[in-house]
Each structure stands twice: as structure tokens, then as C-alpha cells.
Amino acid sequence: MNDVIVIGGGLAGLFNAILLNRAGLKVTVIEKKTYPMHRVCGEYISNEVIPFLSSLDIDLDELNVARINRLEVTAASGTKLSQKLDLGGFGLSRFTFDNFLYQKALAEGVNVLVGTRVEDIRFTDNQFEVLTPGETLTAPLAIGSFGKRSNLDQKLKRPFFYKRSPYLAVKFHLQMDFPEDLIQLNNYKDGYCGVSKTDGDRYCMCYMAHRDDLRKYGSLQALEENVIRRNPYLDEIFRSAKFLLDKPEVINEISFEKKAPVDNHIFMSGDTAGMIAPLCGNGMTMAIHSAKILSEKIISHYNPGSFNPDKRADLEQDYTQSWNKQFAQRLWIGRQLQRLFGNDNMTAFTLNTLSHLPSVAQYLISKTHGQPFA
């Protein structure tokens, strides 16, 4: 009998599983892919997570992360804002990090089902039934960590799913001559592209674009040539870098709509609970922090074998309040900042203004990040 079923084995799912397992709960993680795997992600993590990772005996030096302490934001006009990152961060690929956490979870006794698709989730008689092709699993608690957008969102009739999003995202891994301590956010019509070093000798380049531009030009390559490479900094990267993946990772309909931290009694964690604009570069950090918050709430409220509906209501309310306190304002600010970019003239004006007001630029950066946590 499971205490918790975690649907999705990304950062939020695996950290929840490890923390709950350490607290003595029986946890099963269901992941539709197999490790190691690439995911669409900017692969930058704020240093605010370092005390927490240290508490789990995760040594970043062993993972060969890239240490990042500078930010550049550019416009298609060539305008550039340069800013020191006071807190800083590090680059680490999902290919490396997710697989590391998967192996750690297995070593600590977590049951992880890989290559397994969840077909449906049902909640009846204070119990979850999670249907997979060959088995139905049951547990009093379920955590949804199935990413930015999933068919499960549709099955659960989550409101954001029915608000169509025009954005797609594409990720490459590259080898190139580029500063190791820099994260660069390059803007162009209707989108932007993040570039920074990950572990080893690889760089991550992840861009967001508008589906109308893709339809207009007919292919990713044509979109890149006619829209994205209008930014001179990106044009230089496309001309000189060595592209390492056989094909890029792509995801459609990225939504920045508000999501509920608890939906259909399922505790949502990571991007499943809410996604910050990629421009803010802090999604991985938020996924990790949300897992810490949720697992602590479950541990404080849950006694295996004696979970009752009143306890569930208290737990749901406690987690929702804690999640909103930590992330709601951060997500709102991210949505407002995103409106300043994507238009060439507005982007250039914003960068010129912030270049003359460095304290304002630093303030905006701080508002999309949190404080170090353990």
C-alpha cells in the first residue's frame, strides 16, 4: 500500500519522493519517459537552493556545474543590459540532474516506475486510484508533477488548459566559445532565448517563440533565420556553435496562466502548480523549493493508516497558503516583466532605461528570486 503516488519524475517529483521516503512514507513515482533524458528547460538554477541541496548531501562540485554570476539582456537592435547577479546561480543539465536524482531515489528505496504512462486519476472514498496500462495503484495522497502541460491537465479539467497559449519552446545543447560565468537573455519579435553553460563542456540554448511566426515561415529553421537570428548575438551563436543534439527538444502551448496548487485534491508541485516566465530564468529553483514546501506540509499533517477527510482539508489549505506566500507574487512579477519584451522597440527602450537605473534592474531581478533556504 502506498502512502503517496507521485505522477511525474522531474525535479519536483523526485525531490518530493526523496524527502517523503526519508520521513518513512511509502512512495511510488510514475515517469512516462526513461532516464537519462533531455527536457525543454533553460537549465539555470539560482544559488538560493544551495543550503537545501547541501542538507541532502548533494555536492554540486561532483556534478561539475557551471558557476554563473553575470547577466546580459539583449535586444534585436543590439542594445545590451549587463548586470551582476548578486546571489548568482549555476548551470546544470536536466539530462544530468534528473538522472542523478533518479539514481539517488532508487538507492534510498523509492519505488520508481519508468516508461509508464498514467491514463487517468480518480479520487473516491478518500483514496486515489492511478490508472496505468497494466496496473491500478492506490494511495491516500497524490502529487502531480507532470510538467508544464499534460493530457492529465485536460482529464482533470484544469481551467488553464482551455486557454490556448501561442508559445512554443525549443532547446538545444551546444559547444561554443562563450563566457562560462554568464547567462544571456536575447530578445527578438514575440520571444526570447536564454543561453548559459551547463555541466561538462555543454551550453544550453532554449528559446521561446510565437506559433504564428512558425506558421508564417513553415519550419523551425526558417523561423530561426527570419525571426530569432535578427538578434545579432543569437546570429553569432547560430553561425559559430556546434549543435550537439540529433534534434532539438520542443514543447508547444506553454502556458503562463494561473494554476491551482491543489486541484481535484491532487497536490501540484513544480511547473504543474505554476510556471514563471522563462525570461526570469528561475523555474528549476521554484520546482525544487515547491517540493520542499509540499513534502514538509505532508510530513507535518500525515499519519499513515489514519488519514481522514478533515486532515486532508487542513493539509490542502496549509499547502495552498504556503505556496501562494512563496510564489504568487513572483509569478505575477514574471508575467508583468514578460510584457516589456517581445517587441523590438519596447525591449530596446526598457534595456536603455534599466542601464541608467542599475538599482532598479537589480530590484526586479531580486523580485523574481527568493532567499536561500535549507
Side-chain angles (χ1 to χ4, degrees), residues 29-318:
V29 178
I30 306 174
E31 168 54 48
K32 66 180 180 180
K33 297 183 178 181
T34 56
Y35 302 92
M37 71 192 79
H38 293 286
R39 298 184 191 267
V40 175
C41 180
E43 302 187 330
Y44 168 85
I45 306 176
S46 164
N47 282 340
E48 65 199 77
V49 307
I50 288 180
F52 172 65
L53 297 183
S54 296
S55 73
L56 295 178
D57 300 319
I58 296 175
D59 186 347
L60 293 178
D61 290 333
E62 290 184 4
L63 293 172
N64 197 22
V65 303
R67 304 289 180 169
I68 297 170
N69 53 42
R70 292 191 298 130
L71 167 69
E72 289 181 353
V73 187
T74 75
S77 64
T79 305
K80 180 171 70 175
L81 168 70
S82 298
Q83 189 76 30
K84 183 179 182 296
L85 293 172
D86 287 345
L87 182 60
F90 56 92
L92 179 58
S93 71
R94 298 295 300 273
F95 188 87
T96 297
F97 200 17
D98 287 31
N99 188 56
F100 169 83
L101 294 172
Y102 164 61
Q103 298 295 339
K104 186 175 184 66
L106 288 180
E108 296 189 13
V110 176
N111 181 36
V112 186
L113 305 179
V114 298
T116 303
R117 185 179 73 258
V118 172
E119 297 178 331
D120 204 358
I121 311 169
R122 301 170 184 165
F123 182 72
T124 55
D125 298 327
N126 208 34
Q127 188 89 349
F128 285 97
E129 294 181 345
V130 180
L131 283 67
T132 69
E135 183 181 13
T136 297
L137 291 82
T138 61
L141 298 179
I143 294 174
S145 56
F146 37 82
K148 302 171 180 64
R149 185 180 180 87
S150 167
N151 289 336
L152 291 175
D153 291 311
Q154 183 179 27
K155 286 185 176 292
L156 295 169
K157 296 181 171 59
R158 303 186 75 194
F160 86 90
F161 190 88
Y162 300 96
K163 299 177 182 178
R164 302 303 298 271
S165 170
Y167 295 109
L168 65 132
V170 181
K171 186 189 84 170
F172 300 91
H173 274 174
L174 315 171
Q175 286 180 340
M176 60 179 176
D177 183 14
F178 191 90
E180 295 188 1
D181 64 343
L182 175 68
I183 181 169
Q184 192 177 73
L185 299 175
N186 303 293
N187 292 264
Y188 42 83
K189 177 181 176 291
D190 297 328
Y192 40 81
C193 175
V195 181
S196 59
K197 194 173 188 297
T198 66
D199 48 289
D201 61 350
R202 295 182 172 224
Y203 287 80
C204 174
M205 180 172 74
C206 189
Y207 70 72
M208 190 177 76
H210 199 286
R211 67 169 175 235
D212 289 348
D213 293 319
L214 178 60
R215 287 172 179 166
K216 178 179 178 179
Y217 295 107
S219 69
L220 288 179
Q221 183 178 356
L223 170 70
E224 291 158 4
E225 291 174 354
N226 289 280
V227 177
I228 295 171
R229 294 179 66 169
R230 294 283 181 91
N231 184 305
Y233 297 92
L234 288 171
D235 184 56
E236 171 60 25
I237 291 172
F238 273 94
R239 284 194 299 106
S240 61
K242 178 182 179 182
F243 286 71
L244 300 177
L245 301 181
D246 292 335
K247 60 180 181 178
E249 295 290 314
V250 182
I251 186 171
N252 292 304
E253 294 214 38
I254 297 177
S255 175
F256 306 108
E257 297 286 341
K258 291 181 68 174
K259 303 176 182 177
V262 180
D263 208 325
N264 292 268
H265 300 292
I266 302 168
F267 295 95
M268 305 301 183
S269 191
D271 286 344
T272 315
M275 182 178 170
I276 196 166
L279 180 74
C280 302
N282 214 23
M284 291 174 73
T285 309
M286 288 179 56
I288 296 168
H289 200 172
S290 75
K292 177 181 183 293
I293 292 171
L294 176 54
S295 59
E296 287 178 348
K297 296 303 179 185
I298 290 174
I299 292 165
S300 69
H301 285 271
Y302 181 71
N303 293 315
S306 60
F307 200 56
N308 59 61
D310 292 336
K311 200 77 169 178
R312 183 183 302 280
D314 292 342
L315 173 54
E316 290 179 1
Q317 183 180 37
D318 196 5

